[in-house]
Amino acid sequence: NQPTSQPANQPTNQPASQPPFLASLRLASPRLAEQSSISTVCPRERASQQVLLYSLSKYCSMLRPALLVLVAPLALQVHGFAPASLQSRRRRAVLSSVRTTAPQSEAPPSEHVPLTHTALEPAAMAQAARDTRDSWSTRRTVRFYDSDQVPPLSVIEDCIASAGTAPSGAHKQPWTFVVVQDPDMKAKIRTLVEAEEKVNYETRMAEKWKQDLEHMMSAIHNGGGDITKPYLTEAPYLVLVFSQPYGLDRETGEKIDHYYVAQSVGIAVGMFTAALHEASLCSLVSTPMGSESEVKQMLHRPVNEKLFCLMPVGHPASDATVPKRDPLRKPMEELMVVV
């Protein structure tokens, strides 16, 4: 009748080893796990209890994903990621307040859609402006290109897509960007443009104009005696921008009025130049005076298009130079006037 003595190295209050399922049960239901660890029953009852607790732990484990699915949308809303329905309500509220500033007849709801715009905090806005200024200040017009280093055509396509976001009169988008990469076509364009440029220097350009260009063109014109434009064949791409003084209906061929064409295309060319610079590419905006019609025919452009400018695009040559300018840019007091 004497109680069985405990081994010397085992404490009397040490609980029995816990079954493996108890660890997962502790994650699913800590209270049940705690109750199971302190229960003292006979072996048969303990076996039944273990089966019950194991079943409960499996059930709780199955419920956990369902609980996450139910709770996740609420958590997202708390953190600002509202569902699409709530976002659309917010946009409609903003849009309606804007529409109320104009007569209904001028801004029919069916012709307007919500504006998507991200506004920066003042500090971030100032930093973004400085970063853009510093980056664009390094842009230079380049006349010497690396023929072996060819940028992916997709990069040129994305830069043209950026230019295509430019504002235009009545949103007519009166421009076409023609990308020439064929070496034979580039050679033909160079021959034609160089021949017309020689005529320009001899008969069309005033002496003051030629003097203003002398320090810019001396590196490729050999003192003016030999008119050459090597960049037209060295650059991997020639991008020719055509303006559209009027549009053409694709079905009837009737003319479609375009407005402020020169201003619209000029803005698009500026945005294209900036996009190329952001992609670490160089360019030159040139006007092939005298050769516009022949280049247009050479590229089989429609009757309603007119050559606006020609732009070689690519990476600069390893020995490329640019004209020295001091100062490089117009000072701010001459550039901006605040009234």
Side-chain angles (χ1 to χ4, degrees):
N1 295 329
Q2 295 296 326
T4 305
S5 60
Q6 296 287 342
N9 60 350
Q10 181 175 347
T12 57
N13 295 329
Q14 179 70 22
S17 60
Q18 299 176 351
F21 73 87
L22 195 55
S24 59
L25 176 61
R26 190 177 300 277
L27 293 175
S29 179
R31 181 173 297 179
L32 282 175
E34 185 65 22
Q35 291 176 356
S36 67
S37 63
I38 63 175
S39 63
T40 56
V41 294
C42 66
R44 180 174 298 178
E45 291 178 354
R46 176 176 292 277
S48 300
Q49 187 183 58
Q50 288 179 354
V51 172
L52 176 61
L53 291 175
Y54 179 77
S55 300
L56 287 173
S57 68
K58 297 292 289 183
Y59 181 71
C60 292
S61 299
M62 293 171 61
L63 283 178
R64 289 175 64 190
L67 290 173
L68 287 175
V69 172
L70 293 174
V71 173
L74 298 175
L76 289 177
Q77 290 189 34
V78 170
H79 288 283
F81 296 97
S85 59
L86 181 58
Q87 291 180 4
S88 62
R89 287 197 297 272
R90 291 173 180 171
R91 286 198 297 266
R92 282 197 297 271
V94 173
L95 185 63
S96 63
S97 66
V98 173
R99 283 176 176 168
T100 56
T101 62
Q104 194 68 17
S105 59
E106 296 182 14
S110 60
E111 296 182 6
H112 284 249
V113 296
L115 170 68
T116 300
H117 174 72
T118 301
L120 300 175
E121 293 292 335
M125 185 188 305
Q127 187 61 53
R130 287 192 297 269
D131 291 343
T132 302
R133 176 202 63 192
D134 294 343
S135 173
W136 290 13
S137 294
T138 64
R139 190 208 62 80
R140 296 298 304 269
T141 293
V142 174
R143 293 177 172 82
F144 306 94
Y145 291 87
D146 187 342
S147 302
D148 298 326
Q149 196 173 359
V150 181
L153 182 60
S154 60
V155 174
I156 308 301
E157 180 180 354
D158 286 338
C159 290
I160 292 175
S162 298
T165 67
S168 60
H171 196 58
K172 295 297 183 178
Q173 306 172 81
W175 48 63
T176 306
F177 291 75
V178 178
V179 181
V180 178
Q181 58 180 349
D182 178 67
D184 293 337
M185 180 59 70
K186 289 192 297 181
K188 292 178 181 179
I189 292 175
R190 175 180 175 177
T191 300
L192 175 61
V193 172
E194 286 181 343
E196 287 295 331
E197 187 74 343
K198 184 175 178 61
V199 177
N200 292 337
Y201 270 81
E202 292 175 351
T203 62
R204 297 170 181 155
M205 298 169 61
E207 286 298 321
K208 185 62 171 67
W209 188 357
K210 290 186 284 186
Q211 292 174 7
D212 288 340
L213 293 176
E214 184 176 359
H215 72 288
M216 298 168 53
M217 310 301 295
S218 59
I220 59 176
H221 281 183
N222 298 326
D226 186 17
I227 305 299
T228 62
K229 296 184 179 294
Y231 48 80
L232 294 179
T233 50
E234 291 175 353
Y237 299 105
L238 295 182
V239 180
L240 296 93
V241 185
F242 286 83
S243 64
Q244 300 173 0
Y246 59 91
L248 292 175
D249 188 278
R250 294 184 178 182
E251 296 182 359
T252 64
E254 294 182 357
K255 288 186 177 181
I256 301 174
D257 292 336
H258 286 173
Y259 314 98
Y260 299 105
V261 174
Q263 295 88 334
S264 302
V265 179
I267 296 171
V269 170
M271 294 179 65
F272 180 55
T273 304
L276 291 171
H277 180 71
E278 288 294 316
S280 75
L281 296 177
C282 298
S283 63
L284 159 69
V285 180
S286 66
T287 52
M289 184 170 58
S291 59
E292 297 94 338
S293 297
E294 293 187 61
V295 170
K296 173 182 173 178
Q297 295 176 4
M298 194 179 298
L299 297 174
H300 306 290
R301 301 312 305 157
V303 64
N304 68 314
E305 291 188 356
K306 180 180 179 181
L307 183 59
F308 187 84
C309 67
L310 186 159
M311 300 177 62
V313 173
H315 290 284
S318 59
D319 57 351
T321 61
V322 293
K324 181 179 179 180
R325 300 189 183 279
D326 188 17
L328 179 60
R329 312 291 182 191
K330 181 183 290 188
M332 183 57 66
E333 56 268 22
E334 298 180 16
L335 181 63
M336 182 180 73
V337 176
V338 180
V339 179

